Amino acid sequence: MMSQMPQPTALSRCPSCEEPLDAADRFCGACGYDLSTVSAPPRDHPTIAMNGTSAGPPPAAPSMDWPLAPEAGGTDTPAPVHRAADIPGTDSGGSELPHPEHPESSEHPEHSEHPEGDPAAVRPAGAKRPAGQPSGVRFDRPSEPDEYPLAPPADGPEREVPADPRTGDLPVPPAGAKLCVACRSGQVDTDGYCEHCGHAQPRERDHMEQELGAVAAVSDRGLRHHRNEDAFAISSTALPDGSPVVVAIVCDGVSSATRPDEASLAASHAANESILAALPLGTHPQQAMHEAIVAASEAVNALADPSTAQGEHAPHVNAPACTIVGAVVTPTLLIVGWVGDSRVYWVPVDRSSMPARLTEDDSWAAQMVAAGLMNEAEAYADERAHAITGWLGADAYELEPHTVSFKPDRPGVVVVCTDGLWNYAESAEEMAEAVPLDAAERPLQSAQVLVGHALDGGGHDNVTVAVLPFPAPSQGAGSA
């Protein structure tokens, strides 16, 4: 510390109270400190020891007797090589290092082998190193295995280690069993999980595609919903005169209802079966469509739980419900039927002709427009726009199937879809822009493109679309 160092007698300030002093002062005028007790400064020395005494000159280091390299024999003679073993040395204990008999083995210590009696190879861990033995890092240790076998239990005989089920041979699944989409080897149990790797399997209705030559449909769960509540059914048959008929039914489950996925599936199957049974008997296609919607309604009503009955006008509370829309294409007629807000669009093959929407929504927005209370833009911008006023279900007040018959005068494409698609192509012009130009020749690819259009737009809802090419009618056909 500075207070322990010698101080000069002539101070500029008192060492006790820091009062300024004159050179001739012997006592501090402020506190009376005796300035004569301050020792005289030592003579200047370049080195001061920590205890205040002068350090003497460092002792001369003993001379090192370095070995002299022999002179080279000439310019053509290579310089001699000196190995580390040629220079004598001592270990950390001061003992002289042993001179190896074969110094050349030290050039590559990783390849050296210790004799059987080498102490360095057999010395147990923690033992002291014998005097004279060099210390350092060992480079010639044997390589260690990547895995170590497990020791048998100490309290019993050695037991067989069970095989890893992930690497063992799997039993061959029975014929017709569903294989895991992840490992492609395990069998899927009834709960939808792989019995081998445990991977949850995608549900069958998450994405569905079907093509029947003249009609194709695609349904997808979308990007926001946890399940696909849409369903479709496509088919073909013939009229009594042999004329071909193509049918497409699309249903959208009402998410706020119970079991909407079951409702849409039951409705689509019931409607399709009803039409296929009626048309070959000579029933008019428009009447067959009306009967199909009634059959679909009865199928959905049958899903309701009778125990929830609450009065005459509300026989079933929050019963399964869905919408329905369908199209029947004959060589000369196009029949459309619906209940709810799923739609049908007409897109001519000749894009110079105007497309059209062939259905009117059973929704709050459509009612506001029909009553003249709002224009279409205002109504569909309202948050209540998609509230449906018609649906299939036991809690529907009254069933009012809508059916319309058309006679197109030119070839075109019929697009049957849920609001999961038309939300991203609402007007007929927007839908026509989304439909590929070759949709009449490639209906399945066109349906895939339209579903992709909805997913690219956000995929907020389930998406289902069916594409039916309409054949060119005979000349002179008019519209109905």
Side-chain angles (χ1 to χ4, degrees):
M1 296 175 65
M2 293 299 296
S3 60
Q4 296 175 343
M5 301 295 292
Q7 299 291 337
T9 304
L11 302 175
S12 59
R13 292 182 178 274
C14 173
S16 176
C17 66
E18 296 294 325
E19 180 71 15
L21 303 174
D22 294 332
D25 290 342
R26 294 183 178 275
F27 297 91
C28 175
C31 66
Y33 187 86
D34 187 1
L35 301 178
S36 62
T37 60
V38 180
S39 60
R43 292 185 302 170
D44 186 24
H45 195 280
T47 304
I48 301 296
M50 292 301 295
N51 58 5
T53 60
S54 300
S63 60
M64 186 67 180
D65 187 13
W66 295 102
L68 299 177
E71 296 181 0
T75 57
D76 296 334
T77 304
V81 178
H82 292 273
R83 298 180 176 87
D86 297 335
I87 303 175
T90 59
D91 62 11
S92 59
S95 303
E96 183 178 354
L97 296 175
H99 187 77
E101 297 180 1
H102 304 285
E104 63 274 6
S105 64
S106 64
E107 295 181 8
H108 301 283
E110 64 274 14
H111 298 299
S112 64
E113 296 182 2
H114 291 280
E116 186 176 353
D118 186 359
V122 299
R123 185 186 328 122
K128 294 184 178 180
R129 175 177 50 83
Q133 181 177 332
S135 62
V137 179
R138 293 288 300 275
F139 294 97
D140 57 346
R141 296 177 60 187
S143 59
E144 298 181 355
D146 295 336
E147 298 181 358
Y148 293 89
L150 297 177
D155 57 349
E158 183 176 353
R159 290 178 292 182
E160 182 180 357
V161 179
D164 188 342
R166 297 170 297 177
T167 59
D169 294 335
L170 295 175
V172 179
K178 185 177 180 181
L179 295 181
C180 174
V181 298
C183 66
R184 305 302 302 170
S185 56
Q187 183 176 349
V188 179
D189 60 18
T190 56
D191 293 334
Y193 291 87
C194 176
E195 296 178 348
H196 173 52
C197 67
H199 190 90
Q201 305 301 297
R203 283 169 288 198
E204 183 179 0
R205 292 180 61 179
D206 282 355
H207 186 87
M208 300 179 292
E209 297 185 1
Q210 188 178 1
E211 183 179 25
L212 294 177
V215 58
V218 176
S219 181
D220 192 90
R221 177 171 58 92
L223 305 179
R224 303 296 181 90
H225 280 227
H226 69 285
R227 64 181 175 184
N228 190 359
E229 297 170 356
D230 288 356
F232 67 83
I234 58 175
S235 58
S236 61
T237 185
L239 299 177
D241 61 358
S243 302
V245 180
V246 179
V247 179
I249 303 294
V250 171
C251 296
D252 183 359
V254 179
S255 297
S256 59
T258 59
R259 295 147 54 205
D261 53 330
E262 297 181 26
S264 61
L265 187 64
S268 60
H269 286 176
N272 185 65
E273 292 174 359
S274 176
I275 289 182
L276 292 182
L279 291 179
L281 299 178
T283 305
H284 191 278
Q286 189 169 356
Q287 179 65 28
M289 176 62 73
H290 180 93
E291 294 175 356
I293 295 176
V294 173
S297 175
E298 293 174 352
V300 177
N301 292 347
L303 298 176
D305 184 2
S307 63
T308 59
Q310 292 184 0
E312 181 180 358
H313 298 290
H316 303 284
V317 176
N318 201 25
C322 69
T323 67
I324 187 171
V325 65
V328 175
V329 173
T330 73
T332 58
L333 287 178
L334 168 59
I335 310 299
V336 174
W338 75 96
V339 172
D341 62 349
S342 294
R343 295 180 176 180
V344 176
Y345 290 85
W346 165 258
V347 180
V349 171
D350 180 6
R351 296 304 174 91
S352 62
S353 303
M354 295 298 294
R357 185 174 56 139
L358 307 182
T359 58
E360 293 291 338
D361 298 341
D362 287 325
S363 66
W364 180 91
Q367 282 191 348
M368 294 297 103
V369 174
L373 300 177
M374 291 183 177
N375 60 40
E376 190 168 353
E378 294 173 342
Y380 281 96
D382 194 281
E383 60 182 6
R384 298 165 290 181
H386 290 278
I388 58 175
T389 58
W391 63 89
L392 305 183
D395 56 356
Y397 285 96
E398 186 177 0
L399 177 64
E400 295 182 1
H402 310 288
T403 60
V404 183
S405 178
F406 300 93
K407 284 187 177 181
D409 61 351
R410 66 198 65 198
V413 174
V414 180
V415 178
V416 185
C417 65
T418 62
D419 60 346
L421 171 61
W422 67 254
N423 278 331
Y424 302 98
E426 186 169 346
S427 67
E429 291 74 17
E430 291 173 332
M431 184 63 70
E433 291 179 1
V435 174
L437 297 176
D438 59 351
E441 290 77 27
R442 306 175 66 187
L444 177 59
Q445 289 80 355
S446 299
Q448 294 169 341
V449 169
L450 291 173
V451 170
H453 177 78
L455 298 180
D456 292 342
H460 287 72
D461 199 356
N462 306 143
V463 188
T464 303
V465 56
V467 176
L468 302 86
F470 188 87
S474 59
Q475 295 295 326
S479 60

